[in-house]
Amino acid sequence: MEKYLVIVQKAKNNYAAYSPDVLGCVATGKTVEATLRNMQEALEMHLEGLAELGEEFPVPRDLAHYLQDSEPIAESNDLITYLQVPTPHLQGV
C-alpha cells in the first residue's frame, strides 16, 4: 500500500481531484466524498495499468516536498489529503 497526495478542488458544479505524483490521473464527483471515492478507483486502475505494462510506479511524495516549490500546488480553499492505494507490484511479497 502506498499513500498518494490528493488535491480536491471545487469547480462550478462539482469537485475535481488529482494527485501531483500520478500525472494524468484525475477524477470528478458531485461531492467531496464522491470525488475521493472516484479518485481512489482511478488511482487503483491507473496503477494496475502500469503494473500490466511493466512500467515503474510513481513515487509518492509528501506534502512537504511540494511546499518547497516556489509555485503553490493548490488554492487556499482546496482540500489536501492522502489516499492509500494498493500497489500491485508489492502484493504477495
Side-chain angles (χ1 to χ4, degrees):
M1 269 295 179
E2 296 285 350
K3 285 174 46 175
Y4 285 95
L5 183 69
V6 171
I7 316 286
V8 178
Q9 298 175 318
K10 175 71 175 122
K12 185 175 181 180
N13 297 314
N14 65 346
Y15 292 87
Y18 69 96
S19 174
D21 294 320
V22 187
L23 299 179
C25 186
V26 298
T28 62
K30 287 286 186 187
T31 65
V32 170
E33 294 79 13
T35 304
L36 287 173
R37 280 192 307 272
N38 294 342
M39 187 63 185
Q40 177 80 33
E41 185 177 315
L43 284 167
E44 289 177 13
M45 288 176 50
H46 191 95
L47 295 179
E48 286 172 9
L50 290 176
E52 288 175 9
L53 294 172
E55 303 266 337
E56 289 189 32
F57 282 58
V59 176
R61 297 187 174 115
D62 62 13
L63 181 59
H65 170 81
Y66 292 102
L67 293 177
Q68 294 175 26
D69 290 343
S70 58
E71 298 283 328
I73 61 165
E75 299 293 324
S76 60
N77 59 348
D78 292 347
L79 169 70
I80 301 173
T81 190
Y82 289 91
L83 290 176
Q84 285 197 325
V85 182
T87 46
H89 72 294
L90 297 178
Q91 292 179 358
V93 174

